[in-house]
Amino acid sequence: MTVTDLADRAVDLGRLSVSDDEFAQRVRSWLEENLTGEFAHLRGRGGPGSEHEFFTERLAWDRHLAAAGWTCLGWPTEFGGRNATIAQRIVFHTEYARAQAPARVNHLGEELLGPTLIAFGTDAQRERFLPGIADVTQLWSQGYSEPGAGSDLANVATTARLEDGRWVINGQKIWTSLAHVAQWVFVLCRVERGSSRHKGLGFLLVPLDQPGVTVRPIQQLTGTSEFNEVFFDDAVTDADLIVGEPGDGWRVAMGLLEFERGVSTLGQQVGFARELDRVVAMARENGTADDPRIRERIVRSRIGLRAMRAHARRTLAEVDTGGAGGQASVSKLLWANWHRDLGELAMAVQGAPGLVAPDATTEGVANDITTPERVELGEWQRLFLFSRADTIYGGSNEVQRTIIAERVLGLPREARP
């Protein structure tokens, strides 16, 4: 399939010109009709800390969505998208979360790299990679963080040099989500010798299946391994697989991060609300809801969720008019800390029984991503442990506060080496 084929398909599907209510009903009806049969058991499966669950089946579900035209909604029609409005995309993600449809496996390609290629890539790059993202035949991972450059992304040390028409890459990436199941990785690295910080960077598209790449899963506190270390030892990619000009990688990388904090966050909040409702139900069932300290934490969670949703809607409206600034960092702080606190609340409601892992075998959970042998945790234990990472990945709390101080509040820039 080519970009032209995708565009033809998008035209056939038509622009989403119906009202938001009609569109919501269309999404709701399709999910009700299709989350059945072979896909019925996928409801509520996958997601952070549970990426090992039913991966093969969830990949098939993503491809089923693509065939029906429910992927890449916000992409322009000329690149195979539906040119959906912000409101319609919010509706889709909200209805998707309400239906407890399974976590998507193509988020990095569809929501991050695809829009980045549309904004910054060449025609040849779009023609080569957008169709595989749209029909979910090509999975991507993100090569940003390094052992010495986590939240401080400008400190990356991985290098790439041009040699005989190819980029030759050396270095290490860490916390590389889903690299063990992806075919490609987008890599931020230094392409100008002697450069430092934001200057001299390149944004490369690199195949993972080659002798110069080693992917090593990292076992997390949850026992799963959706993050990885990736080592590049004279790995190569074609000279034309750099997005933007050499040295312009920082601008491209930051553009991608803006796409990362898009409308899917509102669907995420529907999932958060469902988690909170179940924690409240558990508190009522075991009597901890009678504890005034627990009740106060529940009320604070309800208020926090409402504030988070209101801020997300306001931020998305500003993004649509090009004026978001550092507001995405405010959103990241709000949801990351709220979710971490929910994990702590869930454990407080469980009490002492939450300290004991359930049976090591969990009926019905298919683990078809290779992970180390582990004890299967309960839902709330997994939430508590994995949500510790919420305040780190995607930019730590400390980095987000610095961005807010400088870009939102206009305070003097922090001293840097």
Side-chain angles (χ1 to χ4, degrees):
M1 182 181 289
T2 67
V3 169
T4 301
D5 295 330
L6 283 175
D8 290 343
R9 185 184 72 172
V11 170
D12 290 341
L13 291 168
R15 192 185 186 283
L16 303 175
S17 57
V18 297
S19 71
D20 293 345
D21 287 342
E22 290 175 300
F23 180 59
Q25 183 56 51
R26 183 186 297 182
V27 175
R28 196 177 304 126
S29 297
W30 189 90
L31 289 169
E32 288 174 358
E33 293 169 4
N34 285 269
L35 270 173
T36 57
E38 63 178 309
F39 297 124
H41 67 291
L42 297 181
R43 288 180 185 268
R45 296 298 191 181
S50 303
E51 283 287 354
H52 62 290
E53 294 182 348
F54 298 102
F55 182 83
T56 301
E57 291 92 334
R58 286 166 42 228
L59 176 59
W61 166 255
D62 256 27
R63 290 172 176 168
H64 185 67
L65 283 170
W70 292 115
T71 57
C72 309
L73 292 182
W75 292 15
T77 53
E78 60 264 36
F79 299 116
R82 299 281 291 271
N83 206 26
T85 65
I86 286 284
Q88 289 166 339
R89 292 162 65 196
I90 290 172
V91 165
F92 176 82
H93 286 287
T94 301
E95 292 297 331
Y96 192 90
R98 284 176 177 162
Q100 299 187 59
R104 307 282 295 279
V105 302
N106 194 33
H107 172 77
L108 292 174
E110 179 179 341
E111 300 289 350
L112 276 66
L113 181 64
T116 301
L117 290 179
I118 291 170
F120 302 102
T122 65
D123 289 341
Q125 289 167 354
R126 298 185 193 109
E127 186 71 28
R128 178 172 179 180
F129 294 112
L130 292 184
I133 294 172
D135 63 15
V136 202
T137 56
Q138 205 171 67
L139 298 181
W140 287 81
S141 55
Q142 181 176 16
Y144 272 23
S145 295
E146 298 180 4
S151 293
D152 184 14
L153 192 58
N155 201 36
V156 296
T158 296
T159 63
R161 68 182 189 276
L162 269 177
E163 188 175 291
D164 298 328
R166 298 187 300 181
W167 292 102
V168 181
I169 307 154
N170 285 279
Q172 177 188 356
K173 294 294 180 178
I174 199 167
W175 313 123
T176 312
S177 301
L178 303 182
H180 53 316
V181 294
Q183 294 82 45
W184 287 79
V185 58
F186 46 92
V187 178
L188 186 65
C189 57
R190 299 214 165 271
V191 296
E192 295 179 2
R193 181 174 300 192
S195 64
S196 63
R197 303 301 297 169
H198 309 92
K199 298 179 180 179
L201 296 171
F203 188 102
L204 300 182
L205 310 176
V206 183
L208 286 169
D209 185 13
Q210 59 170 300
V213 175
T214 301
V215 178
R216 182 183 300 164
I218 300 171
Q219 186 171 359
Q220 300 152 198
L221 286 173
T222 55
T224 59
S225 299
E226 58 206 67
F227 298 122
N228 304 267
E229 296 177 284
V230 180
F231 299 88
F232 301 96
D233 298 294
D234 286 340
V236 298
T237 196
D238 294 339
D240 60 352
L241 295 188
I242 183 169
V243 182
E245 296 297 322
D248 198 31
W250 184 257
R251 183 173 68 95
V252 178
M254 292 303 100
L256 181 141
L257 290 180
E258 288 298 319
F259 294 124
E260 182 178 27
R261 294 162 191 169
V263 295
S264 60
T265 58
L266 284 166
Q268 176 191 53
Q269 289 167 24
V270 175
F272 286 173
R274 185 180 298 112
E275 287 177 336
L276 177 57
D277 286 343
R278 295 179 59 220
V279 169
V280 171
M282 179 170 59
R284 288 171 175 160
E285 183 178 345
N286 67 14
T288 54
D290 297 329
D291 184 333
R293 293 167 298 182
I294 295 293
R295 287 204 304 273
E296 179 186 3
R297 291 172 70 175
I298 290 172
V299 169
R300 288 183 180 275
S301 290
R302 291 281 189 209
I303 294 171
L305 190 61
R306 287 179 177 272
M308 189 194 318
R309 189 168 184 84
H311 183 271
R313 287 185 175 276
R314 184 180 68 182
T315 300
L316 287 170
E318 292 173 349
V319 168
D320 207 25
T321 58
Q327 294 296 333
S329 292
V330 179
S331 295
K332 173 61 167 59
L333 268 183
L334 286 172
W335 75 255
N337 288 283
W338 185 93
H339 203 219
R340 176 204 60 198
D341 293 345
L342 181 66
E344 294 176 354
L345 174 60
M347 294 299 287
V349 168
Q350 275 195 303
L355 301 176
V356 181
D359 195 312
T361 58
T362 301
E363 184 178 356
V365 174
N367 172 26
D368 51 8
I369 297 180
T370 301
T371 55
E373 190 173 329
R374 68 184 190 282
V375 173
E376 189 71 42
L377 298 172
E379 175 186 7
W380 303 119
Q381 294 167 327
R382 188 168 58 239
L383 172 67
F384 169 72
L385 292 174
F386 192 87
S387 61
R388 310 304 297 177
D390 286 343
T391 60
I392 301 172
Y393 68 74
S396 68
N397 279 356
E398 293 77 9
V399 167
Q400 303 306 330
R401 291 187 179 108
T402 297
I403 293 172
I404 293 166
E406 295 176 356
R407 301 183 190 175
V408 179
L409 302 179
L411 298 178
R413 289 179 61 85
E414 182 180 43
R416 292 175 172 83

